[in-house]
Amino acid sequence: MLLRLAVCGLALLSLSAQDRVDLQVVQQIKAEAYERSKVMETLAGLTDRYGPRLTGSPEAREAADWASKRLISWGVQNVHLEKWGPFGRAWSVEQYAVEMVEPRYALLTAMPLAWSGGTNGAVTGEVIQAVFRDSYNPKKMAEELAKFKEKYKGKLRGKVVLLNPVQDLSPSTQGLVKRYTDAELADMAKAVGPTAKVGYDPAKTEVPEEPEKLGPFFNSLNVKGIETFIAQLYGLRGERAKFLKDEGAVAVFTADGRARDGRTAAEQAGRQEAEFPMGPPSFVVTAEHYNRLVRLAESGTAPKVRVMLKVKTEEKVDSFNLVGELPGGAKKDELVMVGAHFDSWHAGTGATDNGAGSAVMMEVVRILKSLNLKLDRTVRLVLWTGEEQGLLGSIAYVKEHFADPKTMQLTSEHGRMSGYFNLDNGAGKIRGVYVENNDAMKPVFEQWLAPFRDMGVSTVTLRTTGGTDHLAFDAVGLPGFQFIQDPLDYGSVTHHGNMDVYDHVPADDLKQASAVIASVVYHAATRAEMLPRKALPKPAE
Amino acid sequence: MLLRLAVCGLALLSLSAQDRVDLQVVQQIKAEAYERSKVMETLAGLTDRYGPRLTGSPEAREAADWASKRLISWGVQNVHLEKWGPFGRAWSVEQYAVEMVEPRYALLTAMPLAWSGGTNGAVTGEVIQAVFRDSYNPKKMAEELAKFKEKYKGKLRGKVVLLNPVQDLSPSTQGLVKRYTDAELADMAKAVGPTAKVGYDPAKTEVPEEPEKLGPFFNSLNVKGIETFIAQLYGLRGERAKFLKDEGAVAVFTADGRARDGRTAAEQAGRQEAEFPMGPPSFVVTAEHYNRLVRLAESGTAPKVRVMLKVKTEEKVDSFNLVGELPGGAKKDELVMVGAHFDSWHAGTGATDNGAGSAVMMEVVRILKSLNLKLDRTVRLVLWTGEEQGLLGSIAYVKEHFADPKTMQLTSEHGRMSGYFNLDNGAGKIRGVYVENNDAMKPVFEQWLAPFRDMGVSTVTLRTTGGTDHLAFDAVGLPGFQFIQDPLDYGSVTHHGNMDVYDHVPADDLKQASAVIASVVYHAATRAEMLPRKALPKPAE
């Protein structure tokens, strides 16, 4: 018993040596983050003034120019936009309106899907139900598409197509805003055994149909797998859009599980690449209004709808990642990176996804700079674009700077890159971190995060998380981490929706996240050694 | 002790005699209400097809014509519209759009206030904050109006005026949909002692400023008091509107505590009477979008807004109450009345306020008719209009048919009217009834409602409730009752809002309410005696 305790003590001691937290620095960081915070001012710029920030749009570029100036004004060095591309078509909304004009007038709450084609002025059509059973399983989707084409060929000209059945709006007594309970966090802390990320074979991989299995499925894919899967899925959606356009549909209306209670949520109608034609004007309609159209059509009073959509496009544009640095000292060639995706969807202003993450990461470098803390390693901030279309910006950046996961030929920078910290799960404060099965990082994070336990940061889990830009780093064997964040109303209200706006971001949550991450980055940048890595992955298929 | 018990026993016995519930009839009513329900079909007609139903509008009249035909098709007798008036100006929306055009394009979620004037095509203006501290206390409001006029005279020409400060949108972890708990119902059942409704003296009555005291204050007013109070309040709002129009404001934007998370809620800009001029185009803007405009204006980037509002008006119209009857037998000259207000606001389709109540009351007469139950008294259904402008339809009806509360000269019909049952607290199922301090009705309702205890109907309270049409009956000494209903999302989502639509009405709740009320009405119509009354009120000042 004693011997075991002694061994444990030694192990902890050896860790403590280089990962001891400097509590005086922590105190300074907290004071800067809470008492002199600029994070909500940054967020207002990214959202109210310059949002939304759809990748490729001139608006995203203007937002980046503003953010760059702001970083420069804080003394951040080497601020520049690093080009990647080609991305595809630039697309933004200039004006739109969706109205029911018969049997009653009603302005419908709707949102164009990105990369929809515009209308020629206002166009009016009768609605028709043409139900397409959507699926994330491309095989099922292809089968459904074949049936759909056969059934509706020649029947859609001049119509406004309702593509989904009536939506279930059973009332829920659950609150919309959620914070993790201690029990949920304890559950998250339980390791589930490492599982390597896998690729995606369009011909062989079975995509689950059950909604509850989709999350784990997406989480199981490596970056190459994500790219292949998204290309196939959006390709099929694009094929459907082409059919609807060729058939002369005036517009296409869809429902979306998140678009209810008067809200909308919208992603893209088809692929953004310039070689794919734009589809018909396509809108997500809030479920209550959508259901009204379906019920009226079913009751024999097919409503007439007037649609207007003016979009601004440019055929083939590149995109960028926004880079800035705090130069290091003794080990200035080594890197600690922080990042968040800067791009957003277009329905709201991109506040929780991911203005919040971008504002926090900008605040992190502001805090470190304004405290004039001595950093051994260079701290590099990169704000990505193209995340929403499949982590495009971070994948391009990692390939350019560190390694192509296909070949795993490493650059010299790969050897000097310590670790990457990402923030992209909404506006909620930090409750812990996913260490992505990097066992050696668990005790490191445990020590780093201990001073923030009384701010709710309790959980270091070996588990992995997916769907955001740390994956690009992990894919080439570089330590990349996403924090655990309180969900708030990210899943229930804001995700990709028209209510993803400034007011759904609580200032206290961003201040806490800024303090926590600034401290993590400071300790990573001053640690004796670079961060421990997992074994290098093999070249991906 | 024994004697007391014996007296109690006798008292109960004497009640039981005529208020014994016929459980075989109850069974038939339940079967008709649940197994052959038409209530959601009725609701779809009133909302999806013919809603909204703003008093005075041609749409409300069309909805009434449809409902009349439906009642006739069920065999309801003497179906007709009974005119009252003049109401004021007919007003309905033909088209509108509210867009931010600088510094970014954004379609704003907004709703015109009723009786707003239209724009001449689309008009664009810069926003200006001109904060008016709104109050339900007319004295405070008059003071604020004087200050406001002084401060903003000459400063609003060509501007879009933001009339409220930034709205607090603190996230709430409360669910939006609520059902009463047993504890809450038990609390409601506690009597609080009778308090006579009182009048309102514009010069003397102190209107509380604290939001939590406003409900009880409104509830304390008699119908004359409500009328006087509303006339004064809307008069002041009208005066403000006139100032804003005279000053050349392009449009007026307001916030509303209920208009958040992408929803809107809207009542009226000023008075509906034709002698009051219409105000400037006025809109409630959902809080997130409203706040964005305020923040941008405060940050020095005054946004530009484009507003278009086309309204259809007619200067001076009457309105109507929709009447239908199931003729009685042995006591066919005596009346049992059921009703609900048929009019709605214009933001949604008037589903929970009060399509639900109207559909249920129509269903009640359908159930009684289709079961061919023998009714001694005549059952009269009246669906009111003008409720939202101050119970106008029911007050006019009661004055015409029963008594003028000012004189208390009673008609002969007053002596033959047994009681009135009202439904207007949203779409929630029935949990009990307010007996309005009519002590003798408590045991009656307790017996009538007992068979529905296992459907959640448990609470007969002596307490009063306000804000709807039973007050018009109570004001002239006629038994008039409103049921206790589960709140659902009436207070949190639908009340006077754009989401007051069909999908926020649960079918099971309406079926339950239809069954409960049909049974109550059947037993009232076949009861040996007319319902017990409170002492006649004195003529109101």
Side-chain angles (χ1 to χ4, degrees):
Chain A
M1 196 68 174
L2 187 68
L3 183 65
R4 233 186 127 198
L5 272 172
V7 170
C8 284
L10 276 173
L12 280 171
L13 205 65
S14 77
L15 284 165
S16 302
Q18 67 171 324
D19 293 311
R20 192 181 303 125
V21 172
D22 185 333
L23 291 175
Q24 284 179 312
V25 168
V26 167
Q27 181 276 321
Q28 288 181 61
I29 285 175
K30 283 186 185 172
E32 185 66 31
Y34 279 82
E35 294 165 18
R36 293 177 291 280
S37 175
K38 300 256 189 218
V39 72
M40 292 306 281
E41 204 180 283
T42 304
L43 184 70
L46 296 179
T47 58
D48 286 341
R49 176 62 187 82
Y50 290 101
R53 306 170 308 278
L54 188 69
T55 299
S57 69
E59 293 79 17
R61 176 59 195 261
E62 282 179 40
D65 289 342
W66 175 82
S68 297
K69 279 188 205 130
R70 190 162 172 85
L71 290 167
I72 291 166
S73 78
W74 292 336
V76 178
Q77 302 287 302
N78 194 20
V79 175
H80 65 283
L81 301 187
E82 217 168 297
K83 192 179 85 172
W84 61 266
F87 167 68
R89 199 178 264 117
W91 182 94
S92 36
V93 175
E94 290 200 302
Q95 196 180 4
Y96 73 101
V98 178
E99 299 158 292
M100 182 166 84
V101 291
E102 284 181 24
R104 281 283 178 270
Y105 177 79
L107 180 60
L108 303 178
T109 301
M111 188 58 65
L113 285 160
W115 292 285
S116 287
T119 59
N120 190 1
V123 290
T124 303
E126 209 173 71
V127 307
I128 183 172
Q129 248 201 302
V131 173
F132 187 100
R133 291 188 198 286
D134 245 315
S135 172
Y136 280 101
N137 178 318
K139 265 178 261 177
K140 297 270 176 199
M141 176 129 178
E143 284 168 27
E144 178 74 11
L145 188 54
K147 279 191 276 182
F148 184 81
K149 284 180 179 178
E150 198 183 307
K151 186 164 177 189
Y152 291 108
K153 181 134 195 73
K155 293 179 184 158
L156 306 178
R157 187 154 307 276
K159 303 288 188 185
V160 173
V161 177
L162 305 178
L163 213 53
N164 300 100
V166 157
Q167 299 296 294
D168 174 29
L169 285 172
S170 316
S172 157
T173 50
Q174 297 265 301
L176 296 174
V177 178
K178 181 176 165 50
R179 292 196 182 272
Y180 284 130
T181 62
D182 289 343
E184 287 168 322
L185 288 167
D187 192 58
M188 233 179 273
K190 285 177 197 151
V192 287
T195 38
K197 303 276 184 196
V198 295
Y200 175 79
D201 182 333
K204 285 191 200 149
T205 308
E206 270 306 328
V207 180
E209 299 236 59
E210 305 87 336
E212 68 279 11
K213 290 189 184 164
L214 271 172
F217 165 73
F218 294 141
N219 197 15
S220 75
L221 296 179
N222 62 28
V223 288
K224 178 73 190 155
I226 292 172
E227 191 186 330
T228 315
F229 174 73
I230 285 186
Q232 190 187 20
L233 187 73
Y234 283 179
L236 283 159
R237 289 189 188 172
E239 200 184 321
R240 181 177 68 191
K242 186 176 179 308
F243 171 75
L244 291 163
K245 193 177 182 185
D246 290 348
E247 289 293 307
V250 164
V252 180
F253 287 1
T254 53
D256 183 302
R258 299 161 298 185
R260 57 174 292 180
D261 296 325
R263 296 186 304 270
T264 60
E267 286 137 6
Q268 64 196 74
R271 295 186 63 166
Q272 71 273 5
E273 292 92 336
E275 55 270 35
F276 292 88
M278 292 203 293
S282 302
F283 298 85
V284 171
V285 178
T286 200
E288 287 85 348
H289 291 167
Y290 187 88
N291 285 356
R292 184 182 187 190
L293 296 176
V294 175
R295 282 190 303 263
L296 281 171
E298 283 175 349
S299 75
T301 317
K304 278 194 184 155
V305 166
R306 183 168 56 211
V307 171
M308 188 267 286
L309 174 62
K310 213 190 282 183
V311 296
K312 183 170 61 179
T313 59
E314 194 184 332
E315 276 308 284
K316 201 170 175 176
V317 299
D318 291 319
S319 193
F320 61 82
N321 297 313
L322 193 173
V323 183
E325 289 183 344
L326 301 179
K331 297 169 185 166
K332 66 178 191 307
D333 291 340
E334 291 181 10
L335 283 176
V336 171
M337 288 183 64
V338 290
H341 75 87
F342 188 77
D343 65 306
S344 76
W345 287 108
H346 55 294
T349 56
T352 69
D353 193 11
N354 188 21
S358 296
V360 165
M361 291 312 196
M362 287 172 68
E363 181 77 354
V364 163
V365 295
R366 187 194 70 77
I367 291 168
L368 295 174
K369 175 69 192 172
S370 71
L371 293 175
N372 217 4
L373 294 170
K374 192 173 150 288
L375 303 169
D376 295 328
R377 296 187 178 84
T378 293
V379 171
R380 183 183 292 168
L381 164 74
V382 189
L383 300 176
W384 318 106
T385 64
E387 194 269 354
E388 298 293 3
Q389 287 72 40
L391 318 181
L392 304 181
S394 56
I395 289 173
Y397 187 93
V398 166
K399 189 172 159 189
E400 175 81 17
H401 284 261
F402 304 119
D404 183 341
K406 279 189 212 166
T407 61
M408 283 304 288
Q409 295 290 320
L410 310 182
T411 65
S412 73
E413 215 178 356
H414 188 284
R416 291 179 278 111
M417 158 66 181
S418 178
Y420 169 72
F421 305 96
N422 191 71
L423 197 67
D424 179 31
N425 288 353
K429 71 177 177 182
I430 289 176
R431 307 303 303 273
V433 69
Y434 300 95
V435 303
E436 303 284 328
N437 292 317
N438 185 340
D439 291 82
M441 275 303 291
K442 192 164 190 282
V444 178
F445 268 119
E446 279 169 351
Q447 283 183 277
W448 284 353
L449 296 180
F452 297 95
R453 180 168 279 271
D454 53 6
M455 284 181 168
V457 189
S458 61
T459 306
V460 178
T461 178
L462 283 167
R463 293 190 189 190
T464 65
T465 190
T468 186
D469 297 294
H470 69 291
L471 291 181
F473 292 82
D474 193 68
V476 298
L478 291 171
F481 308 102
Q482 160 68 36
F483 294 91
I484 299 170
Q485 298 174 254
D486 268 338
L488 304 182
D489 57 359
Y490 189 52
S492 58
V493 174
T494 68
H495 190 246
H496 298 183
N498 68 331
M499 284 295 107
D500 186 7
V501 293
Y502 180 93
D503 288 291
H504 288 262
V505 178
D508 279 349
D509 287 69
L510 297 203
K511 289 177 189 169
Q512 187 258 25
S514 307
V516 172
I517 300 174
S519 179
V520 163
V521 171
Y522 169 79
H523 288 97
T526 53
R527 192 176 192 264
E529 295 168 47
M530 295 215 305
L531 295 178
R533 296 183 178 185
K534 295 191 280 191
L536 271 188
K538 298 204 181 99
E541 291 317 299
Chain B
M1 195 67 174
L2 188 68
L3 183 66
R4 230 182 131 199
L5 270 173
V7 170
C8 283
L10 276 174
L12 280 171
L13 204 65
S14 76
L15 284 167
S16 302
Q18 66 172 324
D19 293 311
R20 193 182 301 126
V21 173
D22 183 333
L23 291 175
Q24 284 178 311
V25 168
V26 167
Q27 181 277 322
Q28 289 181 61
I29 285 175
K30 283 185 185 172
E32 186 65 31
Y34 279 82
E35 293 164 19
R36 295 176 290 280
S37 174
K38 301 256 188 218
V39 73
M40 292 307 281
E41 207 180 281
T42 304
L43 183 70
L46 295 180
T47 57
D48 285 341
R49 176 61 186 85
Y50 289 102
R53 306 171 308 280
L54 188 69
T55 298
S57 69
E59 293 77 17
R61 175 59 195 261
E62 282 179 40
D65 289 342
W66 176 81
S68 297
K69 280 188 205 130
R70 192 162 172 85
L71 289 167
I72 291 167
S73 78
W74 292 337
V76 177
Q77 302 288 303
N78 193 20
V79 175
H80 64 282
L81 301 187
E82 218 169 296
K83 192 179 87 171
W84 60 267
F87 166 68
R89 200 177 264 118
W91 183 94
S92 36
V93 175
E94 291 201 300
Q95 195 179 4
Y96 72 101
V98 179
E99 298 158 293
M100 182 167 84
V101 291
E102 284 182 25
R104 280 285 179 268
Y105 178 79
L107 181 60
L108 303 179
T109 301
M111 187 60 63
L113 285 160
W115 291 285
S116 287
T119 59
N120 189 1
V123 290
T124 303
E126 208 173 73
V127 308
I128 183 172
Q129 248 201 300
V131 173
F132 186 101
R133 290 188 199 286
D134 244 315
S135 172
Y136 280 101
N137 178 319
K139 265 179 259 174
K140 296 272 176 196
M141 175 126 177
E143 283 168 28
E144 178 74 12
L145 188 55
K147 277 191 276 180
F148 184 81
K149 284 181 177 176
E150 197 182 309
K151 186 163 176 190
Y152 292 108
K153 183 133 195 71
K155 293 179 183 159
L156 306 178
R157 188 154 305 276
K159 303 288 188 186
V160 173
V161 177
L162 305 179
L163 213 53
N164 300 100
V166 157
Q167 299 295 294
D168 174 29
L169 285 171
S170 316
S172 157
T173 51
Q174 296 266 301
L176 295 174
V177 178
K178 179 171 168 55
R179 292 195 182 275
Y180 283 130
T181 62
D182 290 342
E184 286 168 324
L185 288 166
D187 192 59
M188 234 177 272
K190 286 178 196 150
V192 286
T195 37
K197 303 277 184 195
V198 295
Y200 175 80
D201 183 334
K204 284 189 201 151
T205 308
E206 270 306 328
V207 180
E209 301 238 55
E210 306 84 336
E212 68 279 9
K213 291 189 185 164
L214 272 171
F217 166 74
F218 293 142
N219 198 14
S220 75
L221 296 179
N222 62 27
V223 287
K224 179 72 191 156
I226 292 172
E227 192 187 330
T228 315
F229 174 73
I230 285 186
Q232 190 187 21
L233 187 72
Y234 283 180
L236 284 160
R237 288 189 188 172
E239 198 183 322
R240 181 177 68 190
K242 184 175 181 307
F243 171 75
L244 291 163
K245 194 177 181 183
D246 291 348
E247 289 292 307
V250 164
V252 180
F253 287 1
T254 53
D256 182 303
R258 300 162 298 185
R260 56 174 293 181
D261 295 325
R263 296 186 305 270
T264 60
E267 286 138 6
Q268 65 195 71
R271 295 186 65 164
Q272 72 272 5
E273 291 91 336
E275 55 270 35
F276 293 88
M278 293 203 291
S282 301
F283 298 84
V284 171
V285 179
T286 199
E288 287 86 348
H289 290 166
Y290 187 88
N291 285 356
R292 185 182 186 189
L293 296 175
V294 174
R295 283 189 303 263
L296 282 171
E298 284 176 348
S299 76
T301 316
K304 277 194 185 153
V305 166
R306 183 168 56 211
V307 171
M308 187 265 288
L309 174 60
K310 213 190 282 186
V311 296
K312 184 170 60 181
T313 60
E314 194 183 331
E315 275 309 283
K316 200 170 177 178
V317 298
D318 291 319
S319 192
F320 60 83
N321 298 312
L322 193 173
V323 182
E325 289 182 346
L326 301 180
K331 297 169 185 166
K332 65 178 192 306
D333 289 341
E334 291 181 10
L335 283 177
V336 170
M337 289 184 63
V338 290
H341 75 87
F342 188 78
D343 65 307
S344 75
W345 287 107
H346 56 293
T349 56
T352 68
D353 192 12
N354 188 19
S358 297
V360 165
M361 290 313 196
M362 287 172 68
E363 181 77 353
V364 163
V365 295
R366 188 194 69 77
I367 291 168
L368 295 174
K369 175 68 192 172
S370 70
L371 293 175
N372 217 3
L373 294 170
K374 192 175 152 288
L375 303 168
D376 295 329
R377 296 187 180 83
T378 293
V379 172
R380 184 183 292 168
L381 164 74
V382 190
L383 301 176
W384 319 106
T385 64
E387 193 269 355
E388 298 292 5
Q389 286 73 41
L391 318 181
L392 303 181
S394 56
I395 288 173
Y397 187 92
V398 166
K399 188 171 159 189
E400 175 79 16
H401 284 261
F402 304 119
D404 182 341
K406 278 188 213 166
T407 61
M408 281 307 287
Q409 295 291 318
L410 310 183
T411 66
S412 72
E413 217 177 356
H414 188 285
R416 292 180 279 111
M417 159 67 180
S418 178
Y420 169 71
F421 305 98
N422 191 71
L423 197 67
D424 179 31
N425 288 352
K429 71 177 177 184
I430 289 177
R431 307 303 303 275
V433 68
Y434 301 94
V435 302
E436 302 284 328
N437 292 317
N438 185 340
D439 292 81
M441 274 303 290
K442 193 165 188 283
V444 179
F445 268 118
E446 278 168 352
Q447 283 182 276
W448 284 353
L449 297 179
F452 297 94
R453 181 167 278 270
D454 54 6
M455 286 181 166
V457 188
S458 61
T459 305
V460 177
T461 178
L462 283 167
R463 291 189 190 192
T464 65
T465 190
T468 185
D469 298 293
H470 70 291
L471 291 181
F473 291 82
D474 192 69
V476 297
L478 292 171
F481 308 102
Q482 160 68 33
F483 293 91
I484 299 170
Q485 297 175 254
D486 267 337
L488 304 182
D489 57 0
Y490 189 53
S492 58
V493 174
T494 68
H495 191 247
H496 298 183
N498 68 332
M499 285 295 108
D500 186 6
V501 293
Y502 180 94
D503 288 291
H504 288 262
V505 178
D508 280 349
D509 287 68
L510 296 203
K511 290 177 190 170
Q512 187 258 25
S514 307
V516 172
I517 300 174
S519 179
V520 163
V521 171
Y522 169 79
H523 288 97
T526 53
R527 192 176 193 264
E529 294 169 45
M530 296 216 302
L531 295 178
R533 297 181 177 187
K534 297 190 280 190
L536 271 188
K538 296 201 181 105
E541 292 317 301

